[in-house]
Amino acid sequence: MDKKELILTPEGRQKLVDELAYREGEKHEEIVERLKEARGFGDLSENSEYDAAKEEQSLNESRINEIRQILATAKVVEHTDGELSVSIGTTVELSDKKGKSISFTIVGTTETDSLEHKISNESPAGAELIGHVVGDVVSFSTPSGKEKTYTILNITR
């Protein structure tokens, strides 16, 4: 099976680097302290604090390995000069037929955040917008099946 290439913006990569540093440093030390403290409570077979700390340690290690894998294999998209077209890392301002505007930042799949209007380049909207320039009209289906049509008003980095 062919794995999809992971794509990150420079900002998204830095966020992962920062999270990795936190998990390998401060978070790791917190867990070690909790384990030491829990061992002091006696019998480990009936020690829920110890079990919880071991579980947290396991989850932390899993996330560290996941971040390392992403950083080792993901492609970081750099900004290019010339006419700006929609690509990963750009913010796109769109207008619908009624003149209502909305904007999205196109990001890689690991950086999506609907609350911050960050949509994946692989989402229906993101995939349709990639490569278009200001003035283009784009249409796509939402996850609920509605057909949306927008005009691209502005593209920024």
Side-chain angles (χ1 to χ4, degrees):
M1 188 164 98
D2 194 28
K3 279 188 97 180
K4 283 186 181 171
E5 180 178 48
L6 276 177
I7 299 174
L8 293 172
T9 60
E11 297 82 11
R13 181 186 180 287
Q14 187 58 50
K15 227 170 146 178
L16 286 174
V17 167
D18 294 345
E19 182 182 348
L20 183 62
Y22 165 72
R23 287 183 175 276
E24 289 178 329
E26 187 180 326
K27 181 80 170 171
H28 174 76
E29 293 303 318
E30 278 176 25
I31 294 169
V32 168
E33 279 305 310
R34 283 187 55 207
L35 285 168
K36 279 183 193 173
E37 202 175 292
R39 277 192 200 106
F41 294 141
D43 184 7
L44 296 182
S45 65
E46 295 177 10
N47 189 327
S48 62
E49 286 87 359
Y50 182 78
D51 291 343
K54 286 300 279 184
E55 174 71 13
E56 187 176 1
Q57 182 180 40
S58 173
L59 292 172
N60 191 52
E61 291 300 318
S62 292
R63 180 64 179 152
I64 285 171
N65 290 332
E66 179 184 18
I67 293 170
R68 284 181 178 158
Q69 180 66 27
I70 291 169
L71 291 174
T73 59
K75 177 183 175 191
V76 178
V77 290
E78 297 300 330
H79 305 302
T80 57
D81 294 330
E83 181 182 22
L84 205 50
S85 63
V86 179
S87 62
I88 292 179
T90 57
T91 299
V92 187
E93 187 181 346
L94 306 168
S95 174
D96 66 11
K97 292 173 189 161
K98 297 176 185 169
K100 183 180 175 201
S101 66
I102 187 166
S103 64
F104 296 109
T105 300
I106 310 295
V107 295
T109 54
T110 61
E111 298 176 67
T112 58
D113 185 341
S114 59
L115 297 176
E116 293 183 18
H117 295 280
K118 292 181 176 181
I119 62 170
S120 166
N121 61 310
E122 296 177 16
S123 68
E128 184 59 40
L129 287 165
I130 296 288
H132 285 278
V133 296
V134 172
D136 285 359
V137 175
V138 294
S139 296
F140 54 87
S141 295
T142 64
S144 64
K146 284 185 178 176
E147 187 70 20
K148 297 281 191 169
T149 301
Y150 291 99
T151 302
I152 299 175
L153 299 177
N154 193 18
I155 304 169
T156 55
R157 281 219 184 275

